[in-house]
């Protein structure tokens, strides 16, 4: 860990000074109490997107700091102030309501996802605010997180690979023009290496007299669908600073915030440039693994090998590990679990889950490509570009396989696309393979019906329009459905793009016993840790136990709320008044028979839903641009009024027999995430094709 020189508080040190005055004192590790630094009481976060919103909520939740999140998008801020948050992440709604409304779940700590903060002294005063008053929030803050969008450039030099830092620069200039006292400015957005130097120069050139700024790099390592868990229990916290006393003191201030719930040994300090590059490097290496297994999937399909078995075998090598070895139609999706593998390969000792992908993979690799080219390292740039090329090839290869199986003709045929999000348990659609696949289907003049349980209509229209689909084509050939059954009705084929649990027909793998009960005989284990340990006749030969009863995700019932711990799955019921919000008159969900599959209510649009949604999509422009944090990564101010509902839905497994009864014959299923039991589907009459596996068509003998 980087050292901190204890500096007398009375010694004037300019945070931006490359040659600070000489000081005396002892060398300390970051965060040591007798190092001279400023205790942070108020944080402002610029940007309320997938990084800024959850990060701010967890910091307010786990520390004694007050946090204000600001954005120019008034509708988005209004959504953060409501019970229908603008993004969905498991556990996020409960945390936001607790710290935003100022009520601690003191009487219901255990099992609600909030028990880790039972030791905090919550009061009626809220600790998390959402506002559009950017200037006042900057003035009030001791530390400012910059969490604005950094998409890939779509114009000019570096088009298609360089990061567009327009929002970062605009945010920096706003901070400099508004701040009247010293501030710590923290890069949270993913940026190219040495962006901090540009930020320092802009701040220094535009600061008010006597105002100094410290610049830190604190990259996020969040994965969609597990963002809350990643924030509560991070693998590491990286803080980059200048190697000066002022830089060390600023790093100490930030480290002490995280140290309120993160072990000190996981808080790592380094220089600014190493911190910036570490985020890009981590995502590039993870994406490299996915591209490698996707390349192997093509060989598996040609030879008869099974990519799940191959990746499982490779993952058993301790030098490789099981993470990020899940084949799919490009980046995206969650990692494999034993439930996705042949039963003969599953053992209790190997019931670990596997890490998941990130929608930033492609953008971050492009950053490294452009950086390498800028440094005249062209061979290095070609190496990293090949990873993206393989990702794109996988999408096109999957498309060609679908076309080939459907008799080399998609014109006029209906394809049901199940899943549009980048992966399950998130509403994020940035870089989702579904965008490319649907666009390819439209080029082939197919009719496409899309269903996703979390992504709203307008977001789907916008993504497809941003990808170059003509509005007239979208109106004519694309429909966004309220349920999977509606999407599959009269369809020629079903294409699984997102691995939502409700689409799977596999028997869930049993949960591993807790640490406390591990090694004990079944009779001594609590039912909470091992809900069912009786042998299943169908799985007895494989030595598997019957799967535990699965927990449902949050369901509103009357004035109470049933919530699930995102870490351990434990369920508790709370009265909504305990969270400081009045009972809602219309929650949008009705009590129903648990055996009846859930169908998301149709979104109401006048006349033609597609035409109305598209019309709404292209209306209005934003006057200010730096704070817009779109969920697609594209910079289109016309599309900033996005409504992403986060009301809980009940996940009930899809009845594939019912799907089969409604489809045209012959029936095809293209399992892009390998979440289906192909044998069960074939027994229903489906022809099934998966990634990296021989399918029904490829196994059939030639006439």
């Amino acid at each position: 860990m980087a050292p901190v020189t204890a500096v007398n508080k009375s010694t004037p040190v300019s945070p931006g000074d490359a040659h600070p005055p000489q000081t005396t004192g002892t060398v300390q590790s970051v965060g040591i109490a007798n190092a001279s630094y400023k205790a942070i009481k108020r944080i402002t976060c610029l940007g309320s997107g997938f990084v800024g919103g959850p990060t701010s909520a967890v910091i307010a939740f786990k520390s004694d700091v007050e946090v204000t999140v600001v954005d120019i998008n008034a509708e988005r801020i209004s959504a953060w102030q409501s019970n229908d948050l603008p993004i969905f992440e498991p556990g996020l709604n409960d945390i936001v309501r607790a710290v935003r409304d100022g009520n601690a779940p003191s009487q219901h700590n255990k099992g609600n996802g909030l028990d880790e903060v039972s030791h905090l002294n919550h009061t009626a005063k809220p600790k998390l605010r959402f506002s559009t008053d950017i200037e006042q929030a900057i003035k009030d803050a001791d530390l400012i997180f910059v969490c604005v969008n950094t998409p890939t450039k779509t114009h000019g030099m570096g088009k298609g690979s360089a990061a567009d830092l327009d929002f970062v620069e605009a945010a920096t200039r706003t901070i400099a023009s508004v701040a009247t006292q010293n501030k710590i400015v923290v890069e949270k957005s993913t940026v190219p290496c040495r962006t901090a130097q540009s930020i320092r120069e802009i701040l220094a050139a535009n600061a008010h007299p006597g105002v100094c700024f410290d610049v830190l790099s604190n990259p996020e390592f969040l994965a969609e669908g597990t963002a809350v868990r990643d924030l509560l229990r991070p693998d590491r916290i990286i803080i980059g600073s200048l190697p000066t006393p002022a830089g060390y003191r600023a790093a100490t201030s930030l480290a002490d915030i995280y140290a309120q719930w993160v072990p000190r040994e996981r808080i790592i300090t380094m220089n600014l440039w190493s911190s910036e590059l570490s985020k890009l490097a981590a995502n590039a290496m993870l994406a490299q693994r996915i591209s490698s297994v996707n390349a192997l999937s093509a060989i598996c399909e040609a030879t008869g090998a099974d990519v799940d078995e191959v990746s499982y075998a490779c993952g058993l090598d301790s030098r490789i590990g099981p993470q990020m070895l899940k084949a799919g139609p490009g980046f995206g999706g969650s990692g494999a679990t034993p439930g996705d593998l042949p039963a003969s390969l599953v053992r209790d000792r190997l019931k670990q889950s596997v890490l998941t992908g990130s929608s930033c993979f492609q953008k971050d690799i492009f950053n490294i490509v452009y950086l390498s080219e800028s440094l005249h390292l062209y061979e290095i740039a070609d190496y990293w570009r090949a990873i993206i090329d393989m990702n794109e090839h996988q999408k096109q290869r999957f498309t060609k396989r679908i076309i080939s199986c459907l008799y080399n003709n998609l014109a006029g045929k209906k394809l049901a696309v199940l899943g549009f999000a980048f992966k399950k348990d998130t509403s994020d659609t940035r870089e989702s393979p579904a965008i490319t696949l649907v666009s390819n289907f439209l080029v082939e003049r197919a009719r496409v019906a899309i269903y996703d349980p979390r992504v709203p209509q307008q977001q789907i229209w916008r993504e497809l329009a941003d990808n170059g689909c003509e509005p007239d084509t979208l109106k004519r050939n694309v429909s966004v459905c309220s349920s999977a059954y509606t999407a599959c009705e009269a369809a020629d084929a079903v294409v699984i793009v997102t691995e939502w649990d409700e689409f799977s027909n596999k028997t869930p793998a049993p949960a591993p016993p807790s640490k406390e009960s591990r090694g004990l005989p079944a009779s001594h284990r609590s039912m909470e840790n091992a809900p069912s340990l009786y042998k299943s006749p169908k799985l007895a030969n494989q030595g598997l136990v019957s799967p535990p009863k699965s927990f449902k995700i949050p369901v509103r019932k009357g004035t109470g709320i049933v919530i699930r711990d995102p870490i351990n799955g434990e369920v508790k019921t709370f009265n909504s008044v305990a969270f400081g919000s009045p009972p809602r008159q219309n929650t949008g969900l009705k009590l129903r028979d648990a055996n009846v599959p859930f169908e998301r209510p149709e979104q109401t649009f006048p006349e033609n839903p597609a035409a109305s949604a598209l019309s709404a999509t292209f209306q209005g422009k934003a006057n200010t641009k730096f704070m817009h944090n779109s969920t697609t990564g594209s910079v289109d101010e016309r599309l900033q009024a996005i409504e992403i509902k986060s009301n809980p839905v009940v996940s009930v497994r899809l009845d594939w027999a019912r799907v089969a009864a409604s489809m045209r014959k012959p029936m095809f299923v293209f399992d892009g995430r390998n979440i289906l039991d192909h044998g069960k589907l074939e027994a229903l009459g489906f022809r099934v094709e998966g990634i990296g596996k021989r399918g029904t068509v490829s196994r059939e003998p030639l006439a």
Side-chain angles (χ1 to χ4, degrees):
M1 300 177 70
V4 172
T5 302
V7 182
N8 189 307
K9 290 186 178 181
S10 62
T11 303
V13 177
S14 173
D17 190 353
H19 303 283
Q22 295 297 314
T23 59
T24 60
T26 59
V27 175
Q28 305 288 350
S29 297
V30 165
I32 295 298
N34 60 350
S36 175
Y37 63 95
K38 180 178 182 179
I40 303 300
K41 297 299 183 184
R42 292 176 296 275
I43 290 177
T44 288
C45 178
L46 304 183
S48 62
F50 279 94
V51 175
T55 299
S56 299
V58 171
I59 289 177
F61 189 54
K62 299 291 286 185
S63 74
D64 56 4
V65 178
E66 295 181 7
V67 184
T68 300
V69 182
V70 293
D71 203 305
I72 63 168
N73 190 333
E75 291 189 25
R76 194 175 185 85
I77 290 297
S78 178
W80 278 110
Q81 293 170 337
S82 72
N83 287 334
D84 294 326
L85 303 187
I87 64 175
F88 171 73
E89 284 288 332
L92 179 61
N93 183 65
D94 306 315
I95 289 178
V96 168
R97 291 177 65 184
V99 290
R100 181 195 63 196
D101 303 330
N103 294 95
S106 55
Q107 70 275 33
H108 298 294
N109 283 324
K110 185 176 180 181
N112 62 7
L114 310 180
D115 52 297
E116 296 182 38
V117 294
S118 59
H119 64 283
L120 295 183
N121 182 24
H122 286 260
T123 67
K125 181 181 179 181
K127 296 170 59 183
L128 178 66
R129 295 178 57 251
F130 296 93
S131 173
T132 56
D133 192 346
I134 299 170
E135 293 190 0
Q136 188 60 50
I138 291 174
K139 291 177 181 178
D140 293 341
D142 301 314
L143 182 147
I144 301 170
F145 279 128
V146 178
C147 297
V148 297
N149 200 13
T150 54
T152 302
K153 288 187 69 174
T154 58
H155 60 278
M157 184 178 297
K159 175 183 177 181
S161 58
D164 189 340
L165 300 180
D166 190 19
F167 299 158
V168 173
E169 181 175 342
T172 303
R173 292 183 180 278
T174 300
I175 293 170
S177 64
V178 171
T180 56
Q181 295 179 330
N182 296 352
K183 309 287 182 185
I184 298 175
V185 179
V186 182
E187 289 177 337
K188 201 71 176 172
S189 302
T190 302
V191 294
C193 191
R194 297 198 70 84
T195 298
Q197 181 62 27
S198 302
I199 292 176
R200 292 179 68 242
E201 292 176 359
I202 293 173
L203 290 172
N206 296 276
H208 291 285
V211 176
C212 296
F213 298 92
D214 285 302
V215 178
L216 301 176
S217 170
N218 178 216
E220 51 84 16
F221 296 95
L222 308 181
E224 296 84 349
T226 60
V228 172
R229 183 172 60 191
D230 296 339
L231 288 162
L232 291 174
R233 300 180 182 178
D235 293 327
R236 77 285 201 197
I237 299 293
I238 301 296
I239 300 175
S241 69
L242 287 176
T244 65
Y248 293 143
R249 289 202 305 273
T252 303
S253 296
L254 180 56
D256 270 10
I257 296 173
Y258 287 115
Q260 295 182 52
W261 78 93
V262 180
R264 286 283 183 180
E265 61 271 16
R266 294 187 184 180
I267 303 175
I268 312 300
T269 62
M270 56 186 65
N271 73 49
L272 274 171
W273 328 128
S274 297
S275 177
E276 290 176 331
L277 187 57
S278 66
K279 170 60 185 295
L280 300 178
N283 275 356
M285 290 183 178
L286 294 174
Q288 180 187 51
R289 292 171 65 95
I290 296 177
S291 287
S292 295
V293 76
N294 281 343
L296 288 171
S297 71
I299 299 176
C300 289
E301 292 168 18
T303 61
D306 187 311
V307 72
D308 281 344
E309 295 179 352
V310 172
S311 61
Y312 179 83
C314 293
L316 293 178
D317 189 323
S318 60
R319 298 167 300 175
I320 299 173
Q323 291 82 9
M324 311 301 289
L325 292 179
K326 181 70 172 176
F331 299 141
S334 300
T337 62
D340 299 324
L341 302 170
S344 60
L345 296 179
V346 182
R347 296 294 181 268
D348 282 347
R349 70 180 187 275
L350 297 173
K351 291 189 180 96
Q352 71 271 28
S353 62
V354 181
L355 297 180
T356 56
S358 168
S359 62
C360 295
F361 281 172
Q362 181 162 306
K363 175 175 71 75
D364 292 349
I365 295 177
F366 273 134
N367 271 336
I368 292 183
V369 169
Y370 185 72
L371 176 63
S372 300
E373 291 176 339
S374 300
L375 299 173
H376 307 292
L377 302 174
Y378 300 111
E379 294 81 4
I380 308 302
D382 290 342
Y383 171 79
W384 291 110
R385 185 182 288 108
I387 294 173
I388 295 179
D389 292 342
M390 176 53 62
N391 180 59
E392 293 302 312
H393 171 69
Q394 187 79 342
K395 300 176 190 177
Q396 302 308 321
R397 199 173 67 81
F398 191 51
T399 300
K400 291 177 181 178
R401 189 175 181 186
I402 292 171
I403 295 173
S404 176
C405 290
L406 291 174
Y407 314 108
N408 295 310
N409 176 36
L410 297 186
K413 294 179 179 177
K414 179 180 178 181
L415 302 184
V417 174
L418 301 187
F420 200 85
F422 182 79
K423 63 183 180 184
K424 71 174 185 178
D425 292 336
T426 184
S427 56
D428 193 357
T429 55
R430 293 173 297 174
E431 302 297 343
S432 171
I435 301 169
T436 300
L437 293 175
V438 171
S439 299
N440 290 344
F441 299 155
L442 293 178
V443 170
E444 296 292 328
R445 296 164 55 189
R447 295 179 296 116
V448 182
I450 303 170
Y451 166 72
D452 190 287
R454 286 291 179 183
V455 182
Q457 280 200 31
Q458 189 175 350
Q459 189 171 339
I460 294 175
W461 298 127
R462 184 190 60 193
E463 289 283 16
L464 295 173
D466 282 350
N467 200 49
C469 296
E470 293 295 329
D472 289 342
T473 301
L474 294 178
K475 294 177 185 179
R476 183 173 59 252
N477 292 335
V478 176
S479 59
V480 179
C481 302
S482 62
S483 74
Y485 297 113
T486 303
C488 295
E489 186 176 355
D492 295 270
V494 176
V495 183
I496 304 290
V497 185
T498 309
E499 70 289 5
W500 289 103
D501 292 338
E502 66 182 86
F503 302 151
S504 177
N505 68 338
K506 287 185 177 180
T507 302
S514 68
K515 293 181 179 179
E516 292 75 13
S517 63
R518 202 167 293 160
L520 296 177
S523 59
H524 292 178
R525 296 176 184 169
S526 69
M527 293 305 292
E528 180 181 9
N529 293 325
S532 178
L533 293 174
Y534 294 98
K535 296 289 183 180
S536 167
K538 294 183 179 180
L539 303 178
N541 293 335
Q542 286 78 28
L544 295 177
V545 297
S546 59
K549 183 179 179 181
S550 60
F551 292 109
K552 295 180 180 179
I553 60 178
V555 184
R556 296 184 185 276
K557 295 181 179 180
T559 61
I561 181 170
V562 179
I563 60 177
R564 182 184 67 178
D565 186 333
I567 305 298
N568 60 30
E570 191 172 355
V571 175
K572 292 288 183 180
T573 304
F574 301 92
N575 191 297
S576 62
V577 177
F579 290 90
S581 60
R584 300 180 65 193
Q585 297 301 316
N586 183 6
T587 64
L589 292 174
K590 298 179 180 180
L591 296 178
R592 58 174 188 79
D593 186 344
N595 296 317
V596 178
F598 175 81
E599 297 192 6
R600 182 158 59 103
E602 288 279 5
Q603 298 190 42
T604 303
F605 292 92
E607 301 176 357
N608 186 333
S612 300
L614 284 170
S615 175
T617 293
F618 293 103
Q619 289 180 354
K621 289 191 176 183
N623 295 323
T624 315
K625 55 184 177 180
F626 85 80
M627 291 300 298
H628 179 47
N629 222 350
S630 78
T631 58
T632 63
S634 63
V635 185
D636 192 342
E637 289 129 359
R638 299 171 300 169
L639 308 179
Q640 71 171 347
I642 307 304
E643 182 181 11
I644 310 174
K645 295 294 185 182
S646 61
N647 276 335
V649 297
V650 178
S651 178
V652 175
R653 292 294 181 95
L654 195 62
D655 183 350
W656 282 96
R658 177 179 169 184
V659 172
S662 69
M663 288 181 62
R664 296 179 62 187
K665 307 300 187 290
M667 307 174 296
F668 290 86
V669 173
F670 298 95
D671 185 6
R673 293 298 177 191
N674 289 339
I675 61 171
L676 300 174
D677 185 321
H678 294 189
K680 291 181 180 179
L681 290 182
E682 288 175 344
L684 292 173
F686 287 101
R687 298 186 177 187
V688 188
E689 302 290 320
I691 296 285
K693 302 172 183 284
R694 280 282 181 92
T696 307
V697 175
S698 57
R699 293 197 307 268
E700 291 177 347
L702 296 176

